[in-house]
Amino acid sequence: MRNMNIETVAKACNGRIMGDERLLDGIRSVEVCGVVTDNRQIQKDYVFIPIPGSRVDGHDFIPKAIEDGALFTLSERELGDVAFAYVLVEDSKQALKDIAAYYRSQLDIPVIGVIGSVGKTGTKEMIASVLSQTMKVYKTQGNFNNEIGLPLTLLSVREEHEALVAEMGISEFGEMHRLGEIAKPDIVVMTIIGQVHLETLKDRDGVLKAKTEVFDHLAKDAVVILNTDDDKLATIKDIPGARIIEFGTKNQTIRADGIKTLGIDGLEARIHVGAEEWAVAIPLPGEHIIYHALAACAVGITLNVPMRNIIDGIEHSKTIAGRTNFIHASNGITIIDDCYNASPLSMKAGVSLLSRAEGRRIAVLGDMGELGKDEKALHYEVGSYLATLPIDDLYTAGKLSAEIGRAVLESESTCRVHKYETRDAMIADLVCSVKPDTCILVKASHFMEFSKVVEELKANFGQVEQAS
């Protein structure tokens, strides 16, 4: 990590270097090789940043981190007479952010920030696929998109990387302002403004206000790429110091038409860039995937990736576990693993996708979190939408998702409704009901832990291959 040693780290986070002077003389010029907050990830010459938590305090693992090869550690308290070096700081979380901001200031590669209520991960993956056609790309791993995850993502960039694609996720006002201050993105992609985190953000106008806080900390001559099919994003007309590129399915600079869905096998479309037109076949299902492709196209064009490479990147994009990930099991059984998170918009997209599958169709839905005072009505709205689709069975677990079932029961739908109070009770009946040639959608907010539903289905029916 360029220009990262104990002295530059201490200066970046306004910390005080502690330890025996003879020991410090031996490490002052040693380059830091990595930064982690989990001591189990320590490698030689890494820095350990202990984060105090409600259940576990990272400071308890400092001795183990040093034993496993940490060059030094940070600490919020004086550690006494110890045989290792450390940097004393007031707040470990803030120190992590300060160190990441310092490291970001040294990076001379484009930083692409992906922001939105829905579709961040899919868009991030497709952008990375496009850019990887011509350059070495680092991208957000897992759900590392918050005030701890984003700094760790930045600190994972190495000399060989030529671009960073980083998710930026928030749940409250002020958070995106802080993330922007750390990342200072050269390119911002905004996917959609949906009904998420309404407990804190109140409504979609609040979501828009919170997401656009990033504009306060853009890099010089930044580019902001907007899905202006979204009515809220379409209101953004001017961003001081930045150029706007619009994409969508209407009259935008980068647009798509001729969209033909191929069920769960993906879609075909034509992408227009100015006067040029390109045919594309995307191996990922769902009409919303076209927006991922258009965003990736816009980023590729901004970074001078040839259009043929952009199309290749789109056509070779893949999904990841928990994000509309198709798992092919035995006897023609397909599991759509989309259980990482859920909002009303993404839940509707999920059941719409399921409705295009062949054979029997089962929706396994759980509660959606952080929807505020209208949470029951928003669940009922999902159920009303599901009732219009050819879904054979609905399984729900949780008090809120019971509203989805209630809406279906109060409609004229022939969908059979199976409601349960707990996830585990539902799993037992679900597994017994699955027959050959069935497609099963599993979707809920992360706190419902519906990944256990997916694992149980895989354990009972076997994973033959994972769609790519």
Side-chain angles (χ1 to χ4, degrees), residues 194-214:
Q195 295 166 308
V196 295
H197 308 302
L198 300 185
E199 286 184 347
T200 52
L201 304 180
K202 305 305 180 186
D203 54 26
R204 289 182 67 226
D205 287 325
V207 175
L208 177 67
K209 181 180 179 181
K211 301 287 187 186
T212 53
E213 288 174 356
V214 72

Side-chain angles (χ1 to χ4, degrees), residues 114-120 123 168-170 173 176 188-198 201-215 224-236 239 247 288 291-292 343-346 348 371 378 381:
V114 182
I115 297 168
S117 304
V118 178
K120 288 191 297 296
T123 302
M168 301 171 69
I170 63 162
F173 290 112
M176 187 61 77
V188 166
V189 175
M190 303 197 79
T191 63
I192 200 166
I193 301 299
Q195 295 166 308
V196 295
H197 308 302
L198 300 185
L201 304 180
K202 305 305 180 186
D203 54 26
R204 289 182 67 226
D205 287 325
V207 175
L208 177 67
K209 181 180 179 181
K211 301 287 187 186
T212 53
E213 288 174 356
V214 72
F215 297 161
V224 176
I225 297 169
L226 303 173
N227 172 11
T228 51
D229 277 4
D230 180 276
D231 61 325
K232 297 299 181 183
L233 293 178
T235 65
I236 300 173
I239 303 168
F247 68 89
H288 63 284
Y291 292 110
H292 301 181
S343 68
L345 188 62
S346 67
K348 289 177 185 177
L371 293 180
L378 291 169
E381 180 182 303

Side-chain angles (χ1 to χ4, degrees), residues 3-53:
N3 296 328
M4 296 290 282
N5 55 45
I6 192 168
E7 292 190 335
T8 55
V9 166
K11 184 176 180 180
C13 64
N14 197 29
R16 185 154 55 101
I17 299 174
M18 307 288 284
D20 184 275
E21 279 299 323
R22 289 171 296 179
L23 175 66
L24 292 172
D25 287 341
I27 70 167
R28 284 188 193 278
S29 61
V30 178
E31 188 175 84
V32 170
C33 292
V35 177
V36 295
T37 57
D38 184 339
N39 71 290
R40 294 168 296 183
Q41 298 172 347
I42 286 290
Q43 298 181 43
K44 188 177 185 305
D45 292 339
Y46 270 42
V47 175
F48 178 53
I49 300 185
I51 305 293

